Amino acid sequence: DAGVTQSPTHLIKTRGQQVTLRCSPISGHKSVSWYQQVLGQGPQFIFQYYEKEERGRGNFPDRFSARQFPNYSSELNVNALLLGDSALYLCASSVGQAAKNIQYFGAGTRLSVL
Amino acid sequence: AQSVTQLGSHVSVSEGALVLLRCNYSSSVPPYLFWYVQYPNQGLQLLLKYTSAATLVKGINGFEAEFKKSETSFHLTKPSAHMSDAAEYFCAVSTTSGTYKYIFGTGTRLKVLA
């Protein structure tokens, strides 16, 4: 079975631009979470979506938004990019929204903002 | 609010020696605790999880961790290090208190010396 897939794998943008990252969860998983991992740090929780609704949100500005589609895939959008948005963006899927569920991670999208 | 602290951003051990990676958590409600491993240019992979069953949790690749409520700790151990264990390790906590949040520590990079 395919794992969590993310696209694109790498992306280069300039300050002020907008970016959309995509994630396809493991088949049968209904929850998708997004994380930002800055070099040398642990992943920071951005959003969790379950059944197309936002179920959790981390301490990120409104420039960050996401949505989940009927097939449970998800997109993360970041507007007005800043240099500090340069990071590895990880998507994780799980069976449900419960806090005890194991999260399965994709390989990430590396975003560079110039 | 919950938080995770990983003591030691870098740990070096000799091949065959004991691996001990430290994690302390803070949570106002019973936590779920996880250890993940990240190899270069990859996503995170679950090693083990604690979800209020047995306090000694066995995971993959010979790793185990013990939940100690009195010490608010969840340290990761492995009796004998292999070269292939060299990676970054993250402790994470989640709870069902309020909205969903999943908090990672800052990570410990394990180096295994021949």
Side-chain angles (χ1 to χ4, degrees):
Chain A
D1 284 342
V4 177
T5 57
Q6 293 186 243
S7 63
T9 54
H10 293 85
L11 206 50
I12 299 175
K13 293 285 187 179
T14 56
R15 280 180 298 174
Q17 285 189 312
Q18 175 264 340
V19 68
T20 298
L21 310 181
R22 295 176 176 82
C23 173
S24 293
I26 291 172
S27 178
H29 286 192
K30 298 183 177 181
S31 174
V32 169
S33 298
W34 287 95
Y35 296 83
Q36 181 195 65
Q37 186 178 20
V38 173
L39 196 62
Q41 297 183 20
Q44 298 291 310
F45 173 71
I46 309 175
F47 289 110
Q48 190 213 25
Y49 274 77
Y50 176 72
E51 291 286 11
K52 296 167 285 181
E53 291 189 7
E54 182 183 305
R55 301 301 178 125
R57 185 183 184 112
N59 297 324
F60 281 81
D62 291 344
R63 298 185 297 107
F64 289 78
S65 64
R67 56 180 175 167
Q68 187 176 33
F69 298 98
N71 66 354
Y72 303 110
S73 67
S74 178
E75 287 182 351
L76 175 70
N77 295 284
V78 187
N79 294 322
L81 285 167
L82 303 174
L83 295 179
D85 295 330
S86 295
L88 180 67
Y89 287 85
L90 295 166
C91 172
S93 76
S94 57
V95 172
Q97 65 171 335
K100 65 180 179 180
N101 288 146
I102 297 170
Q103 295 199 76
Y104 296 84
F105 285 81
T109 293
R110 186 162 297 282
L111 172 65
S112 297
V113 181
L114 306 178
Chain B
Q2 62 262 41
S3 65
V4 170
T5 301
Q6 291 185 242
L7 296 176
S9 59
H10 292 81
V11 170
S12 294
V13 299
S14 297
E15 192 174 20
L18 172 72
V19 175
L20 171 61
L21 305 181
R22 301 178 187 274
C23 172
N24 288 89
Y25 70 91
S26 172
S27 178
S28 56
V29 296
Y32 300 114
L33 295 161
F34 307 81
W35 275 100
Y36 285 85
V37 62
Q38 186 177 34
Y39 297 98
N41 300 315
Q42 294 186 25
L44 281 70
Q45 179 187 3
L46 180 75
L47 284 175
L48 49 79
K49 68 172 184 177
Y50 167 77
T51 57
S52 76
T55 56
L56 181 62
V57 182
K58 293 187 183 299
I60 63 171
N61 301 338
F63 285 94
E64 63 181 37
E66 186 173 7
F67 173 71
K68 292 187 177 180
K69 184 178 179 181
S70 61
E71 299 177 7
T72 60
S73 69
F74 191 57
H75 301 331
L76 182 70
T77 61
K78 182 174 181 178
S80 176
H82 293 172
M83 298 297 289
S84 60
D85 294 327
E88 186 126 28
Y89 292 80
F90 293 96
C91 182
V93 62
S94 70
T95 74
T96 53
S97 174
T99 57
Y100 178 97
K101 275 194 177 183
Y102 208 91
I103 308 298
F104 281 87
T106 52
T108 298
R109 184 168 297 279
L110 176 66
K111 187 175 181 179
V112 182
L113 307 172

